[in-house]
Amino acid sequence: MSVIAEVTAANDRYAAGFAKGDLPAPPGRKLAVVTCMDARLDPARFLGLEEGDAHVIRNAGGVVNDETIRSLLISHHLLGTREAVVIGHKGCGMLTFTNDEVHEKLGPESESIDFQPFSDVAERVRQSVEAIRSHRLLGDGFGATGFVYDVGSGRIEPV
Amino acid sequence: MSVIAEVTAANDRYAAGFAKGDLPAPPGRKLAVVTCMDARLDPARFLGLEEGDAHVIRNAGGVVNDETIRSLLISHHLLGTREAVVIGHKGCGMLTFTNDEVHEKLGPESESIDFQPFSDVAERVRQSVEAIRSHRLLGDGFGATGFVYDVGSGRIEPV
């Protein structure tokens, strides 16, 4: 069975038991989570989030960049969230390469792309938290807190 | 109790029962999911994904833009995924405003930001799928399929 057929079948089972069809769009817990796309991370499970609780923004590295800010501005100003948690993780793939290495692997057409690798997860989380706290359009009390998730233990630790 | 204290306590419970500490970084099902940050969406649950199965990329609208492509290039070329599913959803907040309206609400300092609203979810998903399929650096057989998730029923429908 193809992966598409598998996830469609899994969705049939989810929809058959679905009883959350009347949730409002604004996150009930007024929280936005920013974390990595890494397959080992299930932030809803590891933070105890139910459908309707929190925005979840994910990208390669769980970094806060201009595009993450776009999502956070919508989250805060249009949908009422009050704070973000930024969660990096041990064993992140972004620690394992440089831009030069990816440009070499993918060829000249990739050279205009900054893949945004980093060499220290906790430090990158601190930079992301600071980027939120100091943003000129998030200065009205929107909070930010940083954590590192340990893929070996399932535990988050504050940074 | 603050939200931060609540999610930290929930994480303590998750970590206490954690038994997935030896998963490899490359997604086991070679799948990348692109979807919206919307709080009502829990893609792991509604697609039947376990920790280790799939990359999950989320932003305001679940749109494929240059930053989404950055994540997908890393997902495919460095971590071995073979296809993406792009999932928009009914009732998306991105349908409810224009750039002009947000610029007015947030003030002159926001005017350089394209908030990337859209007026038709299925059409935006089709554009995202096409952006993946036609990308010059994803032309080596990386697949893309589009769906719209119904927040009222929990069901995904292909577009």
Side-chain angles (χ1 to χ4, degrees):
Chain A
M1 192 186 279
S2 73
V3 173
I4 302 300
E6 289 170 1
V7 298
T8 301
N11 179 254
D12 281 342
R13 294 189 290 275
Y14 178 81
F18 190 72
K20 303 191 177 190
D22 57 356
L23 292 169
R29 296 172 73 181
K30 301 186 187 301
L31 177 69
V33 177
V34 179
T35 193
C36 186
M37 68 177 181
D38 193 288
R40 295 166 292 183
L41 275 56
D42 187 334
R45 285 187 191 142
F46 75 63
L47 298 174
L49 302 174
E50 297 295 322
E51 291 93 332
D53 277 352
H55 284 146
V56 181
I57 300 159
R58 302 180 66 175
N59 60 44
V63 295
V64 172
N65 55 29
D66 286 349
E67 163 65 7
T68 322
I69 291 290
R70 176 186 72 88
S71 293
L72 288 172
L73 289 171
I74 292 167
S75 175
H76 175 52
H77 289 289
L78 301 182
L79 290 157
T81 59
R82 290 183 184 155
E83 63 186 309
V85 291
V86 179
I87 308 173
H89 68 98
K90 293 188 182 177
C92 188
M94 306 299 285
L95 299 163
T96 66
F97 63 85
T98 65
N99 266 324
D100 283 349
E101 287 165 355
V102 185
H103 295 157
E104 173 134 4
K105 179 179 171 73
L106 271 62
E109 290 193 287
S110 73
E111 285 175 11
S112 63
I113 302 172
D114 176 4
F115 288 94
Q116 300 175 46
F118 46 79
S119 58
D120 182 321
V121 173
E123 180 55 27
R124 187 65 187 85
V125 169
R126 280 186 210 102
Q127 290 172 6
S128 288
V129 166
E130 182 57 25
I132 295 170
R133 288 182 180 163
S134 66
H135 196 277
R136 65 195 189 283
L137 295 168
L138 291 170
D140 57 340
F142 189 75
T145 309
F147 294 91
V148 173
Y149 177 83
D150 184 338
V151 293
S153 69
R155 192 170 293 281
I156 57 170
E157 297 285 351
V159 298
Chain B
M1 191 187 280
S2 73
V3 173
I4 302 300
E6 289 170 1
V7 298
T8 301
N11 179 253
D12 281 342
R13 294 189 290 276
Y14 178 81
F18 189 74
K20 304 189 176 192
D22 56 356
L23 292 169
R29 296 170 73 182
K30 301 184 187 304
L31 177 70
V33 178
V34 178
T35 194
C36 186
M37 70 177 180
D38 193 288
R40 296 166 291 181
L41 275 56
D42 187 334
R45 284 187 191 142
F46 75 63
L47 297 175
L49 302 174
E50 297 295 322
E51 291 93 331
D53 278 354
H55 284 146
V56 181
I57 300 160
R58 301 181 65 175
N59 61 43
V63 295
V64 171
N65 54 29
D66 286 351
E67 164 64 8
T68 322
I69 292 289
R70 177 187 71 89
S71 294
L72 287 173
L73 289 172
I74 292 167
S75 175
H76 175 52
H77 289 288
L78 301 182
L79 288 156
T81 59
R82 291 182 184 156
E83 64 187 309
V85 290
V86 179
I87 307 173
H89 68 97
K90 292 187 181 178
C92 187
M94 306 300 285
L95 299 163
T96 66
F97 63 84
T98 64
N99 266 324
D100 283 351
E101 287 165 357
V102 186
H103 295 157
E104 173 134 3
K105 180 179 172 71
L106 271 61
E109 289 192 288
S110 72
E111 286 177 9
S112 63
I113 303 173
D114 176 4
F115 288 94
Q116 303 175 44
F118 46 79
S119 58
D120 182 322
V121 173
E123 180 55 27
R124 188 65 186 85
V125 169
R126 280 186 209 102
Q127 289 171 6
S128 287
V129 166
E130 183 54 27
I132 295 169
R133 289 182 181 164
S134 65
H135 196 278
R136 65 196 188 284
L137 295 168
L138 291 170
D140 57 339
F142 189 75
T145 310
F147 294 90
V148 173
Y149 176 83
D150 184 337
V151 293
S153 70
R155 192 171 293 281
I156 55 170
E157 296 284 352
V159 300

